Amino acid sequence: MACEGYVQRNKVGRLREVCFCLVVGASLAICAVESDAKTASSNLQIYATVPVNLQYRILHQARMLKISKRDAEKSQVSVENGTIFRAKTNSPSGYMIVIQSQLVDFFQSVTILIEGRQFVLSPGGTIEIPLPYESLHAEVERLSYRFQLATGTTSGDYPWPLVISVTSSF
């Protein structure tokens, strides 16, 4: 018996009950048929496909990129913990953070820092960062950013140029 496809969360309990009843019923039927035999043995195989489930919630997201006069002089601005999110998945492949950059002219590149790794993204680009499966428990991830400012960028508040989403891997 193969169970495949998407099951709504509120239907999972009922599906478990039905599967349990089918297994018990099949086992009893096999035992009843073979009860007359002096030696009885049987195999019962059950196959189930569990759909990938990913839940995530953005806990904090910077809304503006604040560039001070000193940052503009250095042509660089850092944003610690600019994005904080919680993710939980049952996928053995883990999940993927997808970061898209708006096509803007106030920075040349941004270095994204997560779990000791660094990724570089240019304006208008997209990057996918795979994160491995670690447990069934929700994990909190923190992304920090280091923007390399474009020549001539002045101090001020700029709209946050990155869009972050989380998706199942593979």
Side-chain angles (χ1 to χ4, degrees), residues 153-164:
T153 300
T154 58
S155 61
D157 292 346
Y158 293 82
W160 187 255
L162 306 175
V163 177
I164 291 91

Side-chain angles (χ1 to χ4, degrees), residues 99 110-114 117-119 121 127 129 143-145:
I99 302 175
V110 57
T111 302
I112 300 146
L113 303 115
I114 179 169
R117 299 185 294 165
Q118 295 184 14
F119 302 89
L121 180 62
I127 191 167
I129 302 171
L143 284 78
S144 294
Y145 306 93

Side-chain angles (χ1 to χ4, degrees), residues 26-103:
S27 299
L28 290 174
I30 291 170
C31 290
V33 169
E34 295 183 357
S35 64
D36 294 335
K38 300 222 186 248
T39 60
S41 68
S42 63
N43 291 325
L44 178 62
Q45 293 182 342
I46 299 173
Y47 299 95
T49 301
V50 178
V52 171
N53 183 5
L54 172 67
Q55 301 169 3
Y56 78 96
R57 182 171 179 220
I58 303 286
L59 303 174
H60 167 74
Q61 176 60 62
R63 300 200 187 281
M64 300 293 287
L65 181 60
K66 297 180 184 287
I67 300 174
S68 69
K69 187 173 182 174
R70 183 170 181 220
D71 294 333
E73 290 169 359
K74 293 187 315 182
S75 296
Q76 185 176 335
V77 62
S78 293
V79 180
E80 287 292 319
N81 298 321
T83 305
I84 302 172
F85 68 91
R86 179 183 300 129
K88 178 179 177 181
T89 186
N90 65 347
S91 172
S93 301
Y95 56 93
M96 185 105 45
I97 303 170
V98 180
I99 302 175
Q100 296 175 305
S101 172
Q102 304 296 318
L103 189 55

